[in-house]
Amino acid sequence: MARAFSVAALAIAEGGANAVGAVRLTCGEAELEVELVRVAGYAEGFALGAVAAPVRFGVPYTGIRGLFRRGKALCVALDPSACSPHNCFVLARFEGDLPELPGVTSPAAMEAMESAYRARLRARLASWIAPAPVGVLAAALSPDDLASGPLGTASLALLLALATWLALRFAARLATWGGPPSDRLRDAFVAELSRRMGFASSEQLASGAERLAAGAERLAAEAERLTAEARRLAAAGAPAGSGAPAGSSARTGSGAPAAVAFAPRPTPLAPPPAAVPRGAEEGLAALPLRARVLVPAALAVVGIVATMAFVQRFAAPRDAPQGRPQAARGVQPAARSASAALLASELKERAEPAFPHCLCDRADSPLWKEGVPILSVLGATGPDDGAGVIAPILRQESAEDDDGEEARDAEAARGAEAARGAEAARGAEDARGAEAADAGAGGGARRPARGRYDFDLAVVNNSGAPLSDFRVLLTFARRDARGERAGITERGLFWEGALGPGRAVKWHVEAPGTEVKIEPGVTGLLNGETGVASPDAFFQLTRARYRVVRIHAAMMLAWLRDPRAREAVLSLMPAAAAEEATLERIRRATADVIPCSVAAEAGRLRACLFNGGVAPLRGVAVREVAAGEGRAPRAWPVAATLPVHEGVEVTLPLDGAAPEELEVVPEGR
């Protein structure tokens, strides 16, 4: 009697399976014994059932309805009438029995199968949860030169999410693969089960064909040997005393022995087909349908992104070299013209007056004429408001409405003024709210306007060090009929913790009044001791939700002479009417050629013109930006060549008041 063949395997949750867990299969003489060690019910789209108690049952070999491979897994389908409800298994990670105990799997192997199943569950769960956040986060943190625009960012996020999904699905399959020993046990189990079912496996057919081919070759070799021997005997002739019986050799009429006739040479069998390498059938056709759809999609996304990058890098229009037309006319004319141009340039430089050289850290601009504060306070009426103006919402009231209220307001005003005597002694002047005193309908007198504030207040840390636990005090008030402050209301804002360099925080403020005074708890201007936040921090602020914060970030990038300031200004276009002046000043501060160290003294205007471009400039003029009403802006031509990354100090005649802001433009513009 042949010894029974037994293996243990892990049933996994794949398409068509209705059981998961550890299973032991034994090929007996008359039936396949199935032992469910730790098995739970499974149906696609539903949660796992409870773990069933260990049970063993037998299934006749005629009750096996399916036996095929799907990738590394083996699918076994049993007749539902022979066993139920667990009759469809997708098996992986095959383990053999202990050598000294047939039919018993080692406890370590069973624990390894359980840990592999848990790892598979975690990987499958992560494959459905992780791809979308990973793709979005990676696309958000990717540099702009890698993916720009909505299409590029979305393509990158989709590609990374798809790659993460495929990697986690592959990890789930890899967690339940037992390696080459598991594949060998699986193939041996398939061969044994096929033999028990009365079928021959492909390996057995191949070995039988090889044996038949070897036998045919041996028969052909033996026939060739006999043919050669017969021909040799026929050629030599049989001697008389050789012991051969009389008449045993046929002779022809001439007395020569007749040639021995043999059967024709057998045709050798065709060589067996080459054995298919193991794993060759596990190509694209063996993948699940979802993988067969997603893999081409991933390749298509990779191709699109690569094509966009290639086109952006190599297909951009380029300017033709200036020397090509000259080279077409010949080498000698080109050389002569180049020499003449060089000589003319040298003569012009010698004829130009010498100007002292200088350097500029940044352009002179009214935006930072008084310095940049450590803590910038920005007001806005909403996310799309970039003007930064805090104004009250006013309403008019009649003096005849409530005389008692007027008396109470006057008394409250006197008390508030007495309590803030120190503040009045310091001479602090607050912004005056709008006052209205026009006559009402029917000749009734009107009281001063009353109003309220409703705005958002944002603060930005411009320094290079974090600010911890700071306060912002807002004092609201209105003016009564005598012009005195009344109805004083205070709002205190507090930030607990540290506000990092280049970071912003926002509050929403509501209070009654027609004027407001804002006192930040951190005062002072940026200097060498405080430091300044990095340009990268301010560039991150250009993506803030509030437009007033984005404008401030663009201004700080221009103050730092960061080249990304131009991109920040372009992203803020088009601008509202109240924002145009500020954005134009930021744009002028980001120009390649800027004026700095501007000073007016004794009817002369002295300035440093710095060229931050990549080529020397000549033929420029210094022009006034903000001219008075009814007067054209003044301009001063500069007869000097501005070298690359250097400045030239010029002194210009000044007639009248000093200009508020200057810019450098081509002469005659």
Side-chain angles (χ1 to χ4, degrees), residues 158-564:
L158 179 61
L159 175 62
L160 293 175
L162 187 58
T164 304
W165 184 85
L166 291 176
L168 291 175
R169 298 289 291 188
F170 178 76
R173 292 182 179 273
L174 193 62
T176 53
W177 181 49
S182 174
D183 291 345
R184 288 193 291 269
L185 281 174
R186 178 200 61 202
D187 296 341
F189 175 72
V190 171
E192 180 66 19
L193 189 56
S194 299
R195 189 183 67 82
R196 301 278 184 170
M197 295 170 61
F199 299 103
S201 62
S202 58
E203 289 82 358
Q204 292 173 344
L205 290 175
S207 62
E210 292 176 359
R211 289 195 298 270
L212 289 176
E217 291 178 358
R218 287 195 299 270
L219 290 175
E222 184 67 18
E224 289 181 357
R225 187 185 65 80
L226 293 175
T227 303
E229 183 68 19
R231 288 177 179 174
R232 185 182 63 81
L233 293 176
S242 62
S248 61
S249 296
R251 293 182 180 270
T252 62
S254 61
V260 180
F262 288 93
R265 181 180 177 182
T267 303
L269 296 177
V276 180
R278 180 176 296 172
E281 70 277 8
E282 299 171 5
L284 185 60
L287 294 176
L289 178 60
R290 288 177 292 184
R292 281 183 282 173
V293 173
L294 292 176
V295 168
L299 295 177
V301 173
V302 172
I304 291 173
V305 174
T307 303
M308 293 173 59
F310 180 83
V311 170
Q312 186 177 5
R313 174 66 178 85
F314 296 101
R318 300 179 180 180
D319 297 334
Q322 297 181 358
R324 184 173 297 176
Q326 296 180 353
R329 294 193 299 268
V331 177
Q332 293 183 355
R336 287 196 298 269
S337 61
S339 301
L342 181 61
L343 181 61
S345 177
E346 291 180 355
L347 293 176
K348 186 177 293 184
E349 290 180 358
R350 292 176 183 177
E352 290 178 354
F355 292 92
H357 290 260
C358 57
L359 293 175
C360 291
D361 291 333
R362 61 188 59 87
D364 281 8
S365 174
L367 296 173
W368 45 75
K369 183 177 181 180
E370 303 298 332
V372 176
I374 297 175
L375 196 68
S376 293
V377 181
L378 312 171
T381 58
D384 298 329
D385 179 23
V389 178
I390 303 176
I393 304 173
L394 301 178
R395 60 185 177 88
Q396 295 284 348
E397 292 185 357
S398 174
E400 300 173 355
D401 291 344
D402 192 359
D403 295 337
E405 183 179 356
E406 180 69 26
R408 287 193 300 272
D409 290 343
E411 184 178 356
R414 287 192 298 271
E417 289 296 331
R420 290 167 176 76
E423 179 182 353
R426 289 195 300 267
E429 289 295 333
D430 304 323
R432 290 295 187 90
E435 295 184 358
D438 48 328
R446 291 285 182 178
R447 294 173 54 185
R450 296 196 179 199
R452 61 181 180 86
Y453 283 91
D454 187 356
F455 61 93
D456 294 318
L457 189 72
V459 296
V460 181
N461 180 14
N462 300 317
S463 67
L467 301 178
S468 301
D469 301 337
F470 61 87
R471 293 174 172 81
V472 179
L473 178 62
L474 292 87
T475 305
F476 299 88
R478 60 180 177 84
R479 298 287 171 171
D480 57 12
R482 294 183 296 274
E484 298 177 351
R485 297 178 63 187
I488 297 176
T489 304
E490 292 184 345
R491 294 284 189 270
L493 308 178
F494 177 71
W495 175 257
E496 182 179 4
L499 184 65
R503 303 300 299 272
V505 65
K506 178 192 70 70
W507 293 276
H508 184 75
V509 181
E510 295 182 8
T514 57
E515 58 187 51
V516 60
K517 179 181 180 181
I518 302 176
E519 300 174 283
V522 179
T523 58
L525 303 177
L526 296 181
N527 52 42
E529 297 180 358
T530 61
V532 62
S534 66
D536 293 337
F538 288 116
F539 185 72
Q540 291 294 329
L541 272 187
T542 59
R543 304 175 182 177
R545 181 188 174 204
Y546 276 73
R547 184 176 177 86
V548 66
V549 178
R550 299 198 297 270
I551 294 177
H552 176 78
M555 184 197 74
M556 292 304 300
L557 288 175
W559 187 77
L560 293 170
R561 288 293 290 173
D562 191 279
R564 293 173 291 185

Side-chain angles (χ1 to χ4, degrees), residues 577-596:
E579 306 167 358
E580 288 181 354
T582 301
L583 291 179
E584 281 297 316
R585 285 175 173 173
I586 297 175
R587 182 193 60 78
R588 286 191 290 268
T590 61
D592 289 337
V593 184
I594 56 173
C596 67

